[in-house]
């Protein structure tokens, strides 16, 4: 039953990607263009560091799947792509492994194919500390991701209906494993209040996991006989909204959900993310074109991201937080209602500061 559910998730996620509208709230964030802000490409580094973690690039393959024969093949290819491009990678939920140890290989293949990469294990908020340690051990993981998904569980026919234990259990896991703990929403967003609560629980990093990408309420509704939860499609806050809401977050934040291209990656970094995760877009690339197509796509994204930093005058991903941004439309309305002043974003650079020699104007 679990293996079938995992295969259903992949099938429905890909169908959703094929039908997905082009617009999301990342389109309501734009850079102010300064024509003389550019620098030399050789001076740009994509390295990022947060919560004691250092990555060569700020892009990662986020949690997807595992637990069935088919998803094991997908994870093998994802592990190869991560190895060949140097991006970190997160496993899908490892709950299937706890219920069926025979499925271990569908997850451990991520590490087997990527022995020197940064690999993140993934458990749910009901996992015991022992299970979390087993997940970390199986993948020799560098970090542990705890996914939170109350909306998905509510719509899932066989999902959990009791959530009050999640907060104390997250605190136990955070203090009981020896690697950084990341708490990730699965596509409905983390509010600033939730991020602050996570910090108080000992969580090191929050993956905001906002609306805009794969909608798991819609996926689970597609598995219901009557499809009677259609009204929850689109629930939650967008990733861009979550980033703006978390401007004063006490812990580093990662951004995922609805990231469609390198410009969205740059926007998320400029809004304060330390790294940006992609799932659905990369999954569709893999299933449509195979592992070589995914490697080519990730490589192209990294090359184009470096090009964007070059033209924006940002030597590192963190420098993008000093670039001027304009916030438009419903995203601006969200900020107004949540008390986030968007005007300072448009004047963050303080003007151009480029060393030059003045030769005079002969006109």
């Amino acid at each position: 039953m679990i293996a079938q559910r995992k295969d259903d998730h992949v099938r429905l996620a890909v169908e959703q990607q094929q039908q997905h509208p082009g617009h999301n709230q990342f389109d309501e964030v734009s850079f102010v263009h300064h024509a003389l802000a550019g620098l030399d490409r050789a001076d740009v580094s994509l390295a990022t560091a947060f919560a004691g973690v250092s990555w060569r690039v700020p892009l990662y393959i986020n949690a997807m799947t595992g637990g069935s024969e088919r998803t094991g093949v997908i994870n093998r290819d994802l592990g190869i792509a991560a190895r060949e491009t140097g991006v970190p990678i997160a496993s899908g939920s490892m709950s299937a492994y706890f219920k069926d140890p025979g499925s271990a290989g569908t997850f451990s293949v991520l590490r087997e194919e990527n022995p020197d990469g940064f690999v993140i294990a993934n458990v749910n908020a009901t996992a015991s500390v022992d299970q979390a340690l087993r997940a970390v051990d199986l993948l020799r993981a560098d970090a542990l991701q705890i996914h939170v998904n109350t909306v998905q569980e509510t719509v899932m026919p066989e999902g959990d209906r009791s959530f009050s234990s999640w907060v104390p259990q997250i605190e136990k896991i955070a203090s009981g494993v020896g690697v950084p703990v990341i708490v990730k929403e699965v596509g409905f967003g983390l509010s600033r209040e939730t991020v602050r609560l996570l910090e108080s629980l000992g969580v090191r990093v929050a993956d905001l996991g906002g609306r805009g990408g794969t909608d798991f309420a819609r996926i689970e509704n597609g598995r219901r006989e009557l499809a009677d939860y259609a009204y929850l499609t689109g629930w939650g806050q967008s990733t861009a909204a979550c980033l703006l809401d978390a401007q004063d977050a006490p812990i580093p934040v990662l951004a995922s959900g609805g990231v469609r291209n390198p410009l969205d990656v740059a926007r998320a970094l400029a809004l304060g993310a330390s790294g940006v995760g992609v799932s659905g877009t990369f999954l569709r690339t893999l299933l449509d074109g195979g592992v070589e197509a995914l490697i080519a796509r990730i490589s192209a994204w990294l090359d184009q991201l470096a090009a964007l930093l070059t033209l924006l005058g940002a030597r590192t991903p963190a420098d993008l937080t000093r670039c001027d941004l304009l916030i438009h439309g419903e995203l601006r309305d969200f900020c107004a209602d949540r008390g986030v002043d968007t005007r300072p974003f448009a004047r963050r650079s303080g003007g151009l500061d480029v060393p030059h020699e003045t030769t005079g104007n002969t006109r």
Side-chain angles (χ1 to χ4, degrees), residues 52-202:
V53 170
S54 296
W55 289 350
R56 288 170 43 201
V57 296
L59 181 69
Y60 60 101
I61 300 173
N62 215 347
M64 292 196 211
T65 194
S68 71
E69 182 178 354
R70 184 189 182 207
T71 59
V73 173
I74 291 172
N75 274 345
R76 179 200 66 197
D77 290 345
L78 292 173
I80 292 170
R83 181 190 72 214
E84 294 302 310
T85 58
V87 299
I89 186 168
S91 163
S93 171
M94 298 175 70
S95 299
Y97 162 59
F98 304 142
K99 295 177 180 178
D100 176 17
S103 68
T106 69
F107 297 101
S108 61
V109 70
L110 288 170
R111 175 56 81 189
E112 291 161 9
E113 295 292 349
N114 187 24
D116 301 317
F118 194 100
V119 176
I120 306 169
N122 181 311
V123 301
N124 63 30
T126 65
S128 67
V129 174
D130 178 66
Q131 287 173 327
L133 289 168
R134 286 170 56 200
V136 170
D137 182 64
L138 180 68
L139 299 188
R140 303 195 306 278
D142 303 284
L144 176 69
Q145 195 178 74
I146 304 174
H147 66 269
V148 291
N149 61 337
T150 53
V151 181
Q152 179 187 8
E153 295 288 348
T154 297
V155 183
M156 186 188 302
E158 67 278 34
D160 291 340
R161 300 293 184 265
S162 300
F163 307 123
S164 62
S165 66
W166 286 19
V167 168
Q169 195 58 30
I170 288 171
E171 185 171 29
K172 290 177 184 176
I173 295 172
S175 64
V177 297
V179 295
V181 169
I182 304 164
V183 167
K184 172 196 181 298
E185 240 291 356
V186 302
F188 306 101
L190 295 178
S191 65
R192 75 171 74 124
E193 292 86 353
T194 304
V195 175
R196 289 171 183 160
L197 174 59
L198 292 174
E199 189 270 341
S200 74
L201 301 177

Side-chain angles (χ1 to χ4, degrees), residues 16-28:
Q16 200 175 120
Q17 277 286 315
Q18 292 169 339
Q19 303 165 3
H20 207 276
H23 175 86
N24 69 34
Q25 285 194 326
F26 276 122
D27 293 318
E28 296 176 1

